[in-house]
Amino acid sequence: MTVHTVAVPEGNPVFGQTTSAFASFGYSAAVRAHGLLFIAGTIGRRVDGTIPDTIEEQTEIAVRKIEEILRLENLDTSALVDVTSYHVDIRRHLPGFVEAKQRLVKAPYPTWTIIGVSGLASPGLLVEIRATAAYPDASR
């Protein structure tokens, strides 16, 4: 089995200072195996490391990070096959999340599971999104 780690280069304009989290927490942004790209949970932390107050902005940043990882692998959001999002205070924030998601994610839609959680890695984080994409050439 061939496994390929996808690295986000330091200084990436979408991730900014947040690329340090990969080494700090010991994980990869994404891993390619068996024709699939497994994208680690992404959060809505700005390039300078600050956390926006709104679910809409956090959702947009997290989705943009997923788009950037896809771009690094010559894919786009049409390659997404499965997405899971984790939400703090889901009842309060779900409407804003859905509004941002509908604006950012277009057909063909992946499967999507939405889970409410009591908290995420840092205070102020409201959403974390992980995803799996499929390569058009399954031999990768």
Side-chain angles (χ1 to χ4, degrees):
M1 169 177 75
T2 302
V3 175
H4 169 74
T5 299
V6 177
V8 177
E10 284 190 40
N12 179 284
V14 176
F15 280 81
Q17 296 175 9
T18 67
T19 57
S20 64
F22 302 123
S24 296
F25 291 100
Y27 73 102
S28 299
V31 173
R32 180 174 71 211
H34 299 291
L36 297 172
L37 181 65
F38 301 92
I39 301 171
T42 62
I43 56 173
R45 195 179 290 273
R46 294 182 184 112
V47 295
D48 66 0
T50 60
I51 299 171
D53 293 330
T54 69
I55 187 64
E56 293 84 0
E57 187 177 356
Q58 286 191 32
T59 301
E60 181 168 349
I61 292 167
V63 169
R64 297 287 182 231
K65 288 179 178 180
I66 290 170
E67 289 174 336
E68 178 64 5
I69 291 168
L70 292 168
R71 186 195 68 75
L72 290 169
E73 287 294 294
N74 298 311
L75 298 171
D76 60 33
T77 57
S78 68
L80 292 173
V81 294
D82 185 50
V83 178
T84 302
S85 52
Y86 303 89
H87 302 261
V88 174
D89 200 356
I90 192 168
R91 284 180 179 79
R92 178 175 165 208
H93 298 292
L94 193 59
F97 170 79
V98 169
E99 182 276 321
K101 178 181 169 293
Q102 288 175 335
R103 189 170 31 83
L104 298 165
V105 180
K106 305 297 180 198
Y109 300 112
T111 63
W112 202 301
T113 302
I114 297 173
I115 300 171
V117 296
S118 62
L120 294 168
S122 295
L125 288 175
L126 304 173
V127 64
E128 182 167 339
I129 305 171
R130 61 160 304 282
T132 304
Y135 290 91
D137 173 6
S139 67
R140 288 182 87 168

